Amino acid sequence: MATRFDAVLFDAGGVLVLPDPTVLAPLLAFYGGEITIDAHRRAHYAGMAAKSRAGSSEGEWLIYDEAYVAAVGVRDGDMGEAADVLNRTRTPDLWRWPIPETVAALGRLAAAGIPMGVVSNASGQVEGSLNRSVCQVGRGAFIPMRCIVDSQVVGVEKPDPRIFDFALPYFAEFDPKRIAYVGDSVAMDIVSSRAAGLHSILIDPYADHDGADFERISSVQVLADELVRTV
């Protein structure tokens, strides 16, 4: 059967990995925050939705931090300090906790022969981090990707669509319109991938973007269900 997409590109943060909740949960518990993994997963997407509503740039994370600590239930009087502590602790190296159902979905996509790659705004660390738990370029211990593009390494970051110029040559046999790009940021991922001529999809597991004019899915599993069923 025919499928909508010939290949899939993924953002890393919020799609493949999250800021490590096993580190952030005890950190924010000091301020009354919940310690469950589920609470911290929800907090990430609450933070990203807040960034999107505010139109925050890639480097603006205060709104994210404030929404994150509120989502995990930090006490009202401690929210400012907790957000500041989160901001200083949530370094690029902490974007390392693999989303379990995403890893399983990637395995299904790889087994079905769907070509995949990663395009991420990062700080030079993303390939090494992903190589330890999620994926690598070519064959290895985890899921094979055709490329892993790190904005720090290539010198271009989203929302500049030129970052995709470093990935698309690995998918040269496909029309970009038939390549999906899955991200978790409206301002960074949807805007840039649309401008690059890709099909944009937002990960929106808590329906924070109802009424949006772009495709949304609750998880990578949903995309795998569609593509694996139709190949």
Side-chain angles (χ1 to χ4, degrees), residues 42-127:
R42 183 20 179 159
H44 168 76
Y45 297 102
M48 293 306 297
K51 273 176 67 78
S52 293
R53 288 191 295 270
S56 299
S57 70
E58 176 64 27
E60 296 175 311
W61 286 91
L62 176 60
I63 289 173
Y64 172 97
D65 295 327
E66 291 174 341
Y68 192 111
V69 300
V72 297
V74 164
R75 295 182 293 265
D76 288 346
D78 288 325
M79 288 186 45
E81 182 176 339
D84 183 57
V85 170
L86 175 62
N87 179 261
R88 288 184 280 115
T89 305
R90 184 191 31 74
T91 65
D93 293 318
L94 270 194
W95 294 80
R96 67 188 188 189
W97 189 81
I99 301 172
E101 65 272 23
T102 296
V103 176
L106 293 179
R108 294 171 59 206
L109 290 167
I114 305 295
M116 296 180 287
V118 177
V119 178
S120 178
N121 281 1
S123 301
Q125 90 295 344
V126 72
E127 184 166 6

Side-chain angles (χ1 to χ4, degrees), residues 118-228:
V118 177
V119 178
S120 178
N121 281 1
S123 301
Q125 90 295 344
V126 72
E127 184 166 6
S129 178
L130 293 175
N131 285 178
R132 291 179 172 89
S133 60
V134 178
C135 59
Q136 71 285 314
V137 175
R139 294 185 177 181
F142 300 105
I143 308 302
M145 297 284 166
R146 289 195 179 187
C147 65
I148 297 176
V149 176
D150 183 315
S151 63
Q152 178 71 29
V153 174
V154 302
V156 182
E157 69 176 19
K158 299 171 290 183
D160 190 331
R162 292 177 298 168
I163 192 172
F164 293 100
D165 293 344
F166 296 92
L168 290 178
Y170 294 94
F171 303 85
E173 71 267 40
F174 304 127
D175 182 340
K177 294 179 181 178
R178 289 185 53 82
I179 300 175
Y181 182 65
V182 183
D184 71 332
S185 166
V186 177
M188 299 298 111
D189 300 324
I190 300 300
V191 169
S192 62
S193 57
R194 274 182 166 176
L198 308 178
H199 183 94
S200 307
I201 301 176
L202 187 78
I203 291 284
D204 187 18
Y206 300 95
D208 292 315
H209 300 270
D210 281 346
D213 65 348
F214 45 79
E215 184 172 354
R216 298 175 296 129
I217 55 176
S218 58
S219 73
V220 177
Q221 284 181 310
V222 172
L223 186 62
D225 288 344
E226 175 191 341
L227 298 185
V228 171

